[in-house]
Amino acid sequence: MLRRKAFNLLKAIHLMAGQPNLAYKGIHPVIASHGHRPHRSVAYRQRYKTGAGSAGGRTLSAPQTKAMSEQELPGLLILDIGGTYGVQENIVALLKKHFCLITMKEFLENKKEMSKKIQSVFVFECRPTVDQELLESLPNLKVIGNSGVGVDHLNLKMISNFGVKVTNTPHAVADSTADIGMALMLASARRLVEGSQIAISPHTKYFAVDWLGVEVSRATLGIIGMGRIGYKVAQRARAFDMKILYHNRKQRRKEEELAVGAHYCEKMEDLLQQSDFVMLVVNLTPETHKMIGKKELGLMKPTATLINIGRGALIDQDSLVEALQNNIIRAAALDVTYPEPLPRDHPLLKLNNIIITPHIGTATVQAVQMMAEEAIANMLAVLNGQPIPSEVFPK
């Protein structure tokens, strides 16, 4: 099902000239062009010895076959395999079907040889760091495939100056990120984290009858950033009979608004003043940096909750600390902070009216798999000279 979903999302890529339609197999045509070879007849294989372990009329050993096949695949630079920061083993297996993987350690140990092989870089959890020194050392680099939507960790203008394209994976992350937004809203409203601590504490003798949360149902949700993820949040919120307001660079089409019952606020200030829950679902740019500060927090209801599933630097965290300490707003729920993780002595970590999760918006088995598939399709499209499903352009 996941493979079919990934294919449907990426079906805009045209079939290569003369390539059969692989849709019925659930194989994306761009991916299919690397690693899925056409079936040969028995007569053809016997005549040209094209089976496993052969090359023309010369029989090859298994190691020689492996080496030969790896040489045919384009080189892909990754930080590492497994461990704390490396690419997960199941994603590595997927990448190996289409690329010859080169870790950063292997690259640094043999720069002269490896630099010529690398045509792509797979950025997983913002790693490896792509700086000018790296770009200068990769003369054949054509594409950087980012796993995830946010690309604020990449200098798009600098990368573009090297003639290198950047892609991201907006389709794969929408559902999982919208889910975490709803989870944070519900957890904060009903004080789930605090309640769990009370329930399991060895010091708890009774449950206080005046320990109360607030309801999400029929409350007003203000969504700042009504892109793909923001709209998914609105779809979920409608099931709770919430009144949905949104602020966005562009107003959605009327039929899209009606489908989720959303009302457009041209001014963000109007949304802040009316909402019981304010959810940030925007990318980090120079324009959105610290878009929520002391002034904006002061406009919110004292009973309101601020939720951030975008990027930590969207919020002036010093102002947020002050607002939570002085009950300017009721609570906050953050899946992202700046930096990540916060220093262990940060004042946000000492407050009891905040929930912080470790940037897990896309941390699901399904999302990670789909991000890898979408990133692979993007990178192969660039290498094959085909239309790129999700290219990111410098502003």
Side-chain angles (χ1 to χ4, degrees):
M1 179 179 287
L2 290 177
R3 187 177 290 278
R4 288 200 303 272
K5 186 174 182 182
F7 169 67
N8 289 332
L9 290 169
L10 300 174
K11 62 186 178 181
I13 302 181
H14 301 153
L15 289 171
M16 296 196 310
Q19 179 174 313
N21 189 343
L22 297 165
Y24 74 97
K25 293 183 179 180
I27 302 171
H28 192 280
V30 173
I31 294 179
S33 66
H34 280 250
H36 295 278
R37 299 188 180 184
H39 178 72
R40 304 290 191 188
S41 68
V42 173
Y44 183 99
R45 291 198 303 270
Q46 289 177 341
R47 180 177 179 185
Y48 295 103
K49 297 188 183 294
T50 59
S54 66
R58 182 168 58 92
T59 301
L60 298 179
S61 65
Q64 287 174 315
T65 304
K66 182 179 178 182
M68 190 171 180
S69 63
E70 286 182 351
Q71 287 175 2
E72 293 171 357
L73 297 175
L76 177 68
L77 179 66
I78 62 174
L79 179 68
D80 200 0
I81 297 175
T84 304
Y85 303 114
V87 179
Q88 298 165 9
E89 295 285 353
N90 60 317
I91 303 304
V92 166
L94 190 61
L95 292 168
K96 280 184 175 180
K97 294 178 181 179
H98 312 286
F99 300 94
C100 175
L101 301 192
I102 300 169
T103 66
M104 184 60 75
K105 181 181 179 182
E106 292 169 335
F107 167 66
L108 293 176
E109 288 176 348
N110 192 359
K111 264 190 176 184
K112 187 175 181 179
E113 180 183 347
M114 294 298 181
S115 63
K116 299 174 183 176
K117 296 180 179 180
I118 295 170
Q119 298 182 49
S120 309
V121 176
F122 180 59
V123 178
F124 182 77
E125 295 293 328
C126 302
R127 302 180 183 91
T129 299
V130 179
D131 54 20
Q132 184 166 334
E133 181 182 356
L134 179 65
L135 292 169
E136 289 174 345
S137 64
L138 300 176
N140 296 320
L141 182 64
K142 295 179 177 64
V143 59
I144 295 169
N146 186 67
S147 180
V149 176
V151 291
D152 47 282
H153 53 287
L154 298 173
N155 187 331
L156 298 179
K157 187 175 181 180
M158 177 187 70
I159 294 170
S160 178
N161 288 339
F162 280 85
V164 176
K165 296 185 181 298
V166 175
T167 67
N168 66 351
T169 60
H171 302 95
V173 305
D175 282 318
S176 58
T177 308
D179 285 350
I180 201 69
M182 294 300 295
L184 287 170
M185 180 165 60
L186 289 163
S188 179
R190 300 306 299 271
R191 301 169 68 182
L192 289 188
V193 175
E194 189 181 352
S196 175
Q197 292 170 346
I198 291 172
I200 66 176
S201 171
H203 306 295
T204 298
K205 304 300 181 183
Y206 61 89
F207 295 154
V209 295
D210 60 348
W211 191 87
L212 304 173
V214 297
E215 291 195 11
V216 166
S217 297
R218 295 170 296 282
T220 299
L221 169 63
I223 302 172
I224 299 177
M226 195 65 143
R228 187 175 283 106
I229 297 171
Y231 196 78
K232 293 274 188 180
V233 170
Q235 289 176 324
R236 288 154 173 73
R238 194 183 187 197
F240 288 84
D241 295 323
M242 300 188 81
K243 179 182 178 182
I244 300 168
L245 308 177
Y246 76 97
H247 173 72
N248 202 45
R249 286 176 298 179
K250 295 180 180 179
Q251 184 174 358
R252 283 270 187 169
R253 298 195 309 270
K254 284 297 179 185
E255 55 267 31
E256 292 175 327
E257 291 180 334
L258 289 171
V260 294
H263 304 276
Y264 180 62
C265 293
E266 186 175 355
K267 295 181 179 179
M268 186 174 70
E269 291 78 4
D270 294 337
L271 179 148
L272 294 172
Q273 291 172 332
Q274 298 178 60
S275 300
D276 299 305
F277 299 91
V278 174
M279 191 177 299
L280 303 180
V281 201
V282 296
N283 293 325
L284 180 62
T285 67
E287 293 75 30
T288 61
H289 183 259
K290 292 188 177 180
M291 67 186 301
I292 301 296
K294 185 173 183 177
K295 174 188 172 184
E296 290 74 23
L297 291 163
L299 291 172
M300 293 173 63
K301 296 178 180 180
T303 54
T305 298
L306 177 64
I307 302 155
N308 188 4
I309 57 173
R311 282 291 187 267
L314 298 174
I315 299 174
D316 181 343
Q317 291 182 163
D318 292 336
S319 296
L320 180 59
V321 170
E322 183 181 345
L324 292 171
Q325 288 176 335
N326 297 309
N327 299 314
I328 304 300
I329 62 173
R330 173 185 171 273
L334 315 174
D335 186 46
V336 287
T337 59
Y338 184 79
E340 291 176 349
L342 289 171
R344 298 297 86 186
D345 60 349
H346 196 282
L348 279 177
L349 302 181
K350 296 176 172 60
L351 301 173
N352 61 10
N353 55 346
I354 189 170
I355 294 174
I356 302 175
T357 51
H359 202 153
I360 55 173
T362 59
T364 68
V365 173
Q366 295 88 345
V368 170
Q369 175 80 14
M370 287 191 292
M371 283 192 292
E373 290 176 351
E374 191 171 355
I376 288 169
N378 284 327
M379 291 187 288
L380 293 181
V382 174
L383 298 182
N384 290 335
Q386 293 183 320
I388 308 165
S390 304
E391 183 174 1
V392 184
F393 299 94
K395 294 183 179 179

